[in-house]
Structures are given as structure tokens and as C-alpha cells.
Amino acid sequence: VRVFEILVGTRSNTCLTQAKERRVRFFQELEERGEAAILRALDTLSVHIQWILVAGGESMLATGGSRLLHSVTGKGSGPYAVPTGSALDATNSPAVKSLTYCLRAQFVHTQAALTSESLSAFWTALSMRLYDILVARLLQHYYVSTVGAVILSRDVEALRSVAMLAGRDHSHWDNLRELLTLYMTPPDSLRTMLVGADGDINSGKGLFGRAGRDQALVFMSRRVDYRVKTNQGMKKCQWVVDLLGDLGVYDPTDQPVNIALYSAEQSRKGSSS
């Protein structure tokens, strides 16, 4: 106010105009620097999420069961390819326990630094990045057994819980929770799971209707019993061939899979359409 009074006292329109322009430039630059700092913080957290989930999580794998499964399937298994009969002692995988602890601790500092509106936008963006890192790893590198699906489901619930500390739309996690049922369902019940009880592929029911046909099939392909190692290389199990033939659909994993199609952003678009 004091500065404005001085400028008015000069009775110079030029001074007032220049002052307004510089004021606008100052706040514009301040806003841009603030946005850049927030994006750098988001990138830093994303790097640490990637490191804890991938480097930390995969270095903690149980070696005996994983090596045995790899020798049978010929596949790099990942933390959720737990052999049948293994004990489920822990609620969550060690990596997810560590990650959720770190994110909850970080949330306190983030909440103190940002307005409620900025916090909501920031944490929603972090939720989407967290989802994308997990799903990309799952669809590219992990296989899931029936026992491992229980651990994966618990991990997703833990990650979803911390992701929902702030933000408005976390529907991508809800879609993932539904897709995880593909790993817990026996092969002879998968048709019903995919297209609904009436068995009509065009009914819009089942996971084909809710998540999309290709997405459901791509997620299903990460089952440990989807392919088996043979003398001729990797081959689809007979139940897979029979199911795809019965449904009259092609296998999208016969071609390179574009992981970007299964990102949180795409998942939310599918939910809103």
C-alpha cells in the first residue's frame, strides 16, 4: 500500500504501468519457480518409489522357491511368484512395508508445506505415479501365483491406503483391485470372471466390460500357469488355448505390449467413459 501511494503521488502513468507490469512478472516468476520445485519433489519421490519397489523388493526375494519355479517355468518370477504351499507369514512384502512407512512420513512434511488444494493435486499425481511404477513392473517382469496373489492384493491395499491420504480421484486403484481377482481364480472359472455369468462376450459384463478386453487379458497373462517351459521354448498352457478359443479372442500378448495403455491415466479414462 505504501509503495502504491508513492507511485500515485508521482502522478506518472508510466511509473504506474511499469510497476503493474513488474508486479505481474514477479508473481508469474514466483509461481513458475514454485511449480518447478513441486515437480522436482514429485520426480525425486518417484525415483525413490522405483528404487524401493524394484531394487529393494526384488533383492529380498525368497531364493529357494523362486529358483525352483524359474527352473520349471523358465521365467523370471518376481516377488509374487510364490510356490503353492508356501506360508503367508507376513501381511505385506518387505518392500511395500518400507515404502508405505516412508510415504506416510513424507506426507506429514508435504501437508505442512502446501495448501490443501496443492496437496490434493500433488498427492493425486504421486498416487498415479506409484500405480504406474507397480503396474509396469507387474506387466513386464512379474508373474503371479495363487499364493502370491494374496500378497499382491495386500500390497495393493496398503499402497492404495497411503495414496488416498489426500487427493480426489483414485479410481485407478479400484480397477487394479478387480483385475487382481484374475490371479486368484481357477482356470475353469475364468470365463465367468471375464465376460459374466451368461457367457456373452458382448454383454458388457465381467472384467471385459469393466476393465476392457485387452487389459483383462494382458493382466491374466501374468499368471504363473499361463505359459510353461517346453523343449520348443515357452508355450501357452492348454487351458489358455481353450479359453481364448472358446471366447473367440486373440491374445494381445502375442505382440509387444504397450505398457502406457495400462497407466493410471488410461485406467481413469476407462472408468469415466
Side-chain angles (χ1 to χ4, degrees):
V1 177
R2 176 62 176 163
V3 173
F4 181 74
E5 290 176 351
I6 293 174
L7 290 171
V8 171
T10 65
R11 297 182 181 181
S12 170
N13 290 331
T14 301
C15 289
L16 284 171
T17 300
Q18 289 179 345
K20 289 178 180 178
E21 290 176 351
R22 290 178 181 178
R23 180 182 177 87
V24 169
R25 283 204 307 270
F26 170 78
F27 282 106
Q28 185 177 31
E29 183 178 350
L30 185 64
E31 183 179 10
E32 290 173 352
R33 290 188 178 187
E35 290 176 351
I38 289 174
L39 286 175
R40 282 198 298 270
L42 188 59
D43 289 340
T44 299
L45 284 173
S46 299
V47 169
H48 282 85
I49 288 171
Q50 177 85 18
W51 180 82
I52 294 174
L53 278 182
V54 177
E58 293 173 20
S59 66
M60 297 177 182
L61 295 179
T63 56
S66 296
R67 280 202 302 265
L68 176 61
L69 188 64
H70 185 277
S71 67
V72 174
T73 63
K75 297 173 288 193
S77 50
Y80 302 112
V82 183
T84 302
S86 300
L88 292 174
D89 297 327
T91 304
N92 298 111
S93 64
V96 169
K97 278 186 179 180
S98 299
L99 179 58
T100 53
Y101 174 83
C102 292
L103 287 176
R104 287 184 184 279
Q106 188 63 46
F107 177 78
V108 176
H109 302 292
T110 306
Q111 187 178 36
L114 300 176
T115 64
S116 58
E117 184 176 353
S118 295
L119 174 66
S120 177
F122 180 89
W123 212 255
T124 298
L126 186 65
S127 170
M128 294 174 69
R129 291 199 183 192
L130 177 59
Y131 176 97
D132 289 347
I133 292 169
L134 176 65
V135 168
R137 200 68 190 168
L138 171 63
L139 297 183
Q140 291 178 303
H141 301 282
Y142 295 164
Y143 289 90
V144 187
S145 66
T146 304
V147 177
V150 177
I151 302 174
L152 176 57
S153 179
R154 292 173 181 174
D155 281 354
V156 167
E157 287 300 320
L159 295 172
R160 176 178 176 270
S161 176
V162 76
M164 293 183 69
L165 289 173
R168 299 186 183 90
D169 185 1
H170 300 283
S171 59
H172 43 284
W173 291 104
D174 296 328
N175 295 333
L176 180 57
R177 293 163 80 193
E178 284 202 75
L179 288 164
L180 295 186
T181 58
L182 290 168
Y183 306 123
M184 306 176 189
T185 306
D188 56 0
S189 300
L190 280 171
R191 179 186 174 92
T192 300
M193 181 70 64
L194 291 171
V195 299
D198 56 6
D200 182 3
I201 192 175
N202 298 314
S203 66
K205 298 178 181 178
L207 285 173
F208 276 14
R210 295 191 298 274
R213 185 184 68 185
D214 282 3
Q215 180 166 221
L217 292 175
V218 168
F219 270 82
M220 187 177 72
S221 72
R222 307 314 294 179
R223 290 174 59 115
V224 294
D225 59 351
Y226 194 85
R227 289 181 172 88
V228 66
K229 185 179 180 181
T230 68
N231 293 332
Q232 289 76 39
M234 299 304 297
K235 181 181 178 182
K236 291 175 189 172
C237 289
Q238 190 58 45
W239 70 262
V240 178
V241 177
D242 294 342
L243 176 62
L244 295 176
D246 189 33
L247 292 172
V249 297
Y250 74 97
D251 185 351
T253 65
D254 286 341
Q255 304 294 329
V257 176
N258 182 1
I259 300 301
L261 295 176
Y262 310 110
S263 65
E265 183 178 0
Q266 293 299 322
S267 180
R268 291 165 66 171
K269 286 180 180 178
S271 299
S272 60
S273 61

